[in-house]
Amino acid sequence: AEQAAKRVKGVKAIAQENEVRNPSDKKTGDDEIAERAINILFWNAVVPSDQIQIKVQNGWVTLTGAVEWQFQRTGAESAIRRLSGVAGVINDIAIKVQAHPGDVKRKIEDALKRHAEIEAQRIQVSVQGGTKVALNGSVHDWQEREAIKLAAWSAPGVTSVEDHLTIA
Protein backbone atom coordinates (compact mmCIF):
# COMPACT_ATOMS: atom_id res chain seq x y z
CA ALA A 1 0.00 0.00 0.00
CA GLU A 2 2.88 2.35 0.80
CA GLN A 3 4.51 1.75 -2.60
CA ALA A 4 1.19 2.34 -4.37
CA ALA A 5 0.63 5.57 -2.45
CA LYS A 6 4.11 6.83 -3.42
CA ARG A 7 3.23 6.42 -7.11
CA VAL A 8 0.18 8.69 -6.85
CA LYS A 9 0.89 12.15 -8.23
CA GLY A 10 0.74 14.88 -5.59
CA VAL A 11 1.38 12.60 -2.59
CA LYS A 12 3.84 14.40 -0.33
CA ALA A 13 3.56 12.42 2.89
CA ILE A 14 2.55 8.95 3.97
CA ALA A 15 1.20 7.94 7.36
CA GLN A 16 1.70 4.20 7.13
CA GLU A 17 -0.22 2.96 10.14
CA ASN A 18 -3.98 2.80 10.57
CA GLU A 19 -5.22 2.91 14.12
CA VAL A 20 -8.37 3.76 16.04
CA ARG A 21 -7.99 6.66 18.47
CA ASN A 22 -10.38 7.90 21.06
CA PRO A 23 -10.84 11.66 21.32
CA SER A 24 -9.51 11.50 24.89
CA ASP A 25 -6.14 10.02 23.74
CA LYS A 26 -3.24 12.41 24.26
CA LYS A 27 -0.99 10.82 21.59
CA THR A 28 -0.71 12.66 18.27
CA GLY A 29 -1.52 10.39 15.33
CA ASP A 30 0.89 9.75 12.49
CA ASP A 31 -1.56 11.25 10.02
CA GLU A 32 -1.71 14.47 12.06
CA ILE A 33 2.09 14.64 12.28
CA ALA A 34 2.37 14.06 8.51
CA GLU A 35 -0.12 16.85 7.78
CA ARG A 36 1.68 19.26 10.13
CA ALA A 37 5.05 18.32 8.60
CA ILE A 38 3.79 19.08 5.08
CA ASN A 39 2.48 22.46 6.23
CA ILE A 40 5.61 23.47 8.13
CA LEU A 41 7.86 22.64 5.16
CA PHE A 42 5.52 24.40 2.75
CA TRP A 43 5.73 27.64 4.76
CA ASN A 44 9.49 27.36 5.36
CA ALA A 45 11.31 29.72 2.98
CA VAL A 46 14.61 27.85 3.33
CA VAL A 47 13.33 24.39 2.41
CA PRO A 48 12.17 23.39 -1.10
CA SER A 49 9.12 21.44 0.11
CA ASP A 50 8.38 20.04 -3.34
CA GLN A 51 11.67 18.11 -3.26
CA ILE A 52 11.15 16.40 0.12
CA GLN A 53 9.00 13.37 0.91
CA ILE A 54 7.75 12.58 4.40
CA LYS A 55 6.93 9.23 5.98
CA VAL A 56 5.60 8.95 9.52
CA GLN A 57 5.48 5.70 11.48
CA ASN A 58 4.91 5.45 15.24
CA GLY A 59 5.82 9.12 15.64
CA TRP A 60 9.12 8.72 13.78
CA VAL A 61 9.43 10.97 10.73
CA THR A 62 11.62 9.88 7.81
CA LEU A 63 12.62 12.59 5.36
CA THR A 64 13.75 11.60 1.84
CA GLY A 65 14.38 13.44 -1.40
CA ALA A 66 17.21 15.61 -2.67
CA VAL A 67 18.13 19.27 -2.15
CA GLU A 68 20.95 21.44 -3.45
CA TRP A 69 22.40 22.70 -0.15
CA GLN A 70 23.27 21.32 3.28
CA PHE A 71 21.42 24.17 5.03
CA GLN A 72 18.20 23.05 3.29
CA ARG A 73 18.74 19.48 4.50
CA THR A 74 19.34 20.52 8.10
CA GLY A 75 16.59 23.17 7.95
CA ALA A 76 13.99 20.56 7.03
CA GLU A 77 15.06 18.31 9.90
CA SER A 78 15.10 21.17 12.37
CA ALA A 79 11.61 22.32 11.41
CA ILE A 80 10.12 18.82 11.70
CA ARG A 81 11.88 18.01 14.98
CA ARG A 82 10.00 20.85 16.72
CA LEU A 83 6.54 19.46 15.93
CA SER A 84 4.61 18.05 18.87
CA GLY A 85 4.18 14.29 18.83
CA VAL A 86 7.39 13.64 16.88
CA ALA A 87 9.41 10.88 18.54
CA GLY A 88 12.41 11.40 16.27
CA VAL A 89 13.56 12.34 12.77
CA ILE A 90 15.53 10.22 10.31
CA ASN A 91 17.07 12.57 7.76
CA ASP A 92 17.72 10.64 4.53
CA ILE A 93 17.64 13.75 2.34
CA ALA A 94 20.43 13.62 -0.23
CA ILE A 95 22.37 16.58 -1.56
CA LYS A 96 22.35 16.86 -5.36
CA VAL A 97 25.83 16.75 -6.82
CA GLN A 98 26.14 19.64 -9.24
CA ALA A 99 29.78 20.65 -9.27
CA HIS A 100 33.18 19.30 -10.24
CA PRO A 101 35.85 18.76 -7.55
CA GLY A 102 37.95 21.63 -8.91
CA ASP A 103 34.96 23.97 -8.80
CA VAL A 104 34.17 23.02 -5.20
CA LYS A 105 37.76 23.55 -4.07
CA ARG A 106 38.01 26.90 -5.90
CA LYS A 107 34.72 28.17 -4.43
CA ILE A 108 35.78 27.23 -0.91
CA GLU A 109 39.18 28.87 -1.31
CA ASP A 110 37.55 32.00 -2.77
CA ALA A 111 35.17 32.14 0.20
CA LEU A 112 38.11 31.83 2.61
CA LYS A 113 39.92 34.69 0.88
CA ARG A 114 36.84 36.91 1.20
CA HIS A 115 36.95 36.54 4.99
CA ALA A 116 39.51 39.12 6.10
CA GLU A 117 39.98 37.44 9.48
CA ILE A 118 41.08 34.15 7.90
CA GLU A 119 44.54 33.66 6.51
CA ALA A 120 43.61 31.43 3.58
CA GLN A 121 47.18 30.33 2.85
CA ARG A 122 47.28 28.43 6.19
CA ILE A 123 44.30 26.27 5.16
CA GLN A 124 44.52 23.33 2.76
CA VAL A 125 41.30 22.23 1.07
CA SER A 126 41.01 18.83 -0.58
CA VAL A 127 37.95 17.45 -2.33
CA GLN A 128 37.23 13.74 -2.73
CA GLY A 129 34.68 12.60 -5.26
CA GLY A 130 33.48 16.13 -5.88
CA THR A 131 31.34 16.16 -2.75
CA LYS A 132 33.49 15.42 0.31
CA VAL A 133 35.72 18.20 1.61
CA ALA A 134 38.65 17.79 3.98
CA LEU A 135 40.05 20.87 5.75
CA ASN A 136 43.60 20.86 7.11
CA GLY A 137 45.73 23.57 8.67
CA SER A 138 45.75 25.82 11.70
CA VAL A 139 43.48 28.64 12.85
CA HIS A 140 43.66 31.21 15.62
CA ASP A 141 40.39 30.44 17.43
CA TRP A 142 37.05 28.60 17.41
CA GLN A 143 35.29 31.44 15.59
CA GLU A 144 37.74 31.27 12.69
CA ARG A 145 37.36 27.47 12.60
CA GLU A 146 33.56 27.75 12.36
CA ALA A 147 33.84 30.39 9.62
CA ILE A 148 36.03 28.05 7.58
CA LYS A 149 33.62 25.15 8.02
CA LEU A 150 30.69 27.36 6.98
CA ALA A 151 32.64 28.45 3.90
CA ALA A 152 33.17 24.79 2.99
CA TRP A 153 29.48 23.98 3.45
CA SER A 154 28.55 26.97 1.26
CA ALA A 155 29.99 25.36 -1.88
CA PRO A 156 27.30 23.71 -4.03
CA GLY A 157 27.23 19.92 -3.98
CA VAL A 158 29.16 19.47 -0.72
CA THR A 159 27.76 16.49 1.19
CA SER A 160 30.29 16.24 4.03
CA VAL A 161 33.07 18.28 5.60
CA GLU A 162 35.93 16.67 7.52
CA ASP A 163 37.41 19.13 9.98
CA HIS A 164 41.11 18.47 10.63
CA LEU A 165 41.82 22.07 11.65
CA THR A 166 43.89 22.77 14.72
CA ILE A 167 43.77 25.85 16.90
CA ALA A 168 47.22 27.35 17.31
Side-chain angles (χ1 to χ4, degrees):
E2 179 181 338
Q3 294 302 321
K6 285 181 179 178
R7 290 190 296 267
V8 175
K9 184 177 181 172
V11 171
K12 295 188 182 240
I14 297 172
Q16 186 179 13
E17 193 171 306
N18 294 327
E19 65 179 273
V20 177
R21 291 188 307 269
N22 293 322
S24 61
D25 288 348
K26 300 265 188 232
K27 183 180 173 195
T28 306
D30 289 347
D31 57 332
E32 293 174 272
I33 294 171
E35 185 177 346
R36 290 177 187 168
I38 289 170
N39 289 333
I40 200 163
L41 291 184
F42 179 77
W43 288 104
N44 190 318
V46 171
V47 179
S49 62
D50 59 331
Q51 297 176 21
I52 297 174
Q53 294 79 44
I54 302 163
K55 175 184 168 186
V56 182
Q57 187 172 11
N58 296 327
W60 279 84
V61 179
T62 302
L63 303 173
T64 56
V67 295
E68 295 180 10
W69 302 93
Q70 172 68 11
F71 74 87
Q72 293 171 322
R73 182 179 186 273
T74 56
E77 178 180 348
S78 176
I80 299 300
R81 195 171 292 285
R82 288 181 277 188
L83 292 174
S84 64
V86 172
V89 177
I90 300 168
N91 191 343
D92 286 338
I93 299 172
I95 297 176
K96 297 176 190 173
V97 177
Q98 52 176 280
H100 293 77
D103 293 339
V104 172
K105 182 176 180 178
R106 183 180 45 77
K107 288 182 184 200
I108 293 170
E109 289 172 344
D110 289 348
L112 293 176
K113 290 174 186 170
R114 285 192 297 270
H115 287 287
E117 73 274 9
I118 299 172
E119 294 179 40
Q121 64 270 16
R122 292 184 298 127
I123 308 301
Q124 295 82 42
V125 178
S126 59
V127 180
Q128 299 102 23
T131 62
K132 297 179 181 178
V133 176
L135 301 170
N136 293 291
S138 63
V139 295
H140 292 112
D141 54 33
W142 283 99
Q143 184 177 4
E144 187 176 5
R145 183 180 192 170
E146 288 303 312
I148 291 168
K149 287 178 13 184
L150 285 174
W153 276 117
S154 71
V158 172
T159 60
S160 70
V161 175
E162 290 183 16
D163 176 4
H164 301 289
L165 299 170
T166 57
I167 298 175

